[in-house]
C-alpha cells in the first residue's frame, strides 16, 4: 500500500476482469477496493458487517428482497449487515467498496465467484 494519492480511474484501468475486487488502500482494519462489474453477481449475506458500495462509473443495481436500489456515478449505498443482496449491472459499472479486511465477497454463499482481493 502507499501513502501517496490514489488515482481510482487509473487503478480501474489496470485490469479488465469482472467481479474481481482489487485492493487500493487500507484504512485501519478496513479495505478500500475497486471492481469492474457486469451482469448479475450472487445473492449473498454478510452476517457480521455492513458493505458500502460507491459507483464510480456506470449504473449498479443492488437487488434486495424488498426492492432494488439503483445507483449512478457519485452515488453510494450501505447494505446493512445480515441483509441478503445481489449486485447487478446491465452494462459495465466501476465501483468502490469499503469493508473490513477479510470480508469474503460472496459472504456466506461462497462458490465459484469467491475471490480474494489482490492489490491493484
Amino acid at each position: 500500500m502507499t501513502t501517496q494519492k490514489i488515482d481510482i480511474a487509473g487503478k480501474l484501468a489496470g485490469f479488465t476482469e469482472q467481479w474481481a475486487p482489487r485492493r487500493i488502500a487500507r484504512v485501519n482494519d478496513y479495505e478500500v477496493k475497486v471492481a469492474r462489474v457486469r451482469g448479475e453477481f450472487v445473492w449473498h449475506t454478510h452476517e457480521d458487517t455492513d458493505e458500502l458500495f460507491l459507483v464510480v462509473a456506470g449504473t449498479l443495481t443492488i437487488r434486495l428482497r424488498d426492492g432494488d436500489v439503483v445507483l449512478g456515478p457519485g452515488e453510494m449505498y450501505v447494505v446493512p449487515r445480515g441483509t441478503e443482496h445481489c449486485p447487478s449491472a446491465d452494462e459495465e459499472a466501476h465501483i468502490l467498496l469499503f469493508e473490513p479486511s477479510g470480508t469474503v465477497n460472496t459472504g456466506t454463499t461462497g462458490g465459484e465467484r469467491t475471490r480474494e482481493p489482490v492489490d491493484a
Side-chain angles (χ1 to χ4, degrees):
M1 291 293 119
T2 180
T3 57
Q4 309 267 321
K5 69 180 180 178
I6 297 170
D7 176 2
I8 294 170
K11 294 292 186 183
L12 283 156
F15 66 98
T16 59
E17 188 178 2
Q18 300 290 312
W19 301 107
R22 300 297 199 270
R23 185 176 28 246
I24 62 170
R26 293 180 195 271
V27 180
N28 297 317
D29 295 333
Y30 284 76
E31 294 178 339
V32 180
K33 303 171 196 170
V34 292
R36 293 172 164 264
V37 300
R38 183 175 184 170
E40 189 168 274
F41 197 52
V42 296
W43 281 94
H44 65 285
T45 304
H46 301 282
E47 294 297 336
D48 299 323
T49 186
D50 300 335
E51 185 174 27
L52 182 147
F53 289 86
L54 170 68
V55 175
V56 176
T59 301
L60 179 72
T61 299
I62 301 175
R63 299 190 193 293
L64 304 168
R65 293 298 181 188
D66 61 353
D68 295 346
V69 177
V70 179
L71 304 172
E75 295 180 322
M76 63 177 257
Y77 181 75
V78 177
V79 176
R81 71 184 70 209
T83 301
E84 191 176 26
H85 60 287
C86 179
S88 178
D90 292 336
E91 301 295 327
E92 184 174 82
H94 299 170
I95 62 173
L96 182 141
L97 303 158
F98 186 72
E99 54 199 4
S101 297
T103 299
V104 177
N105 67 327
T106 54
T108 57
T109 300
E112 65 183 41
R113 286 249 170 121
T114 301
R115 299 279 186 282
E116 280 289 321
V118 295
D119 291 335

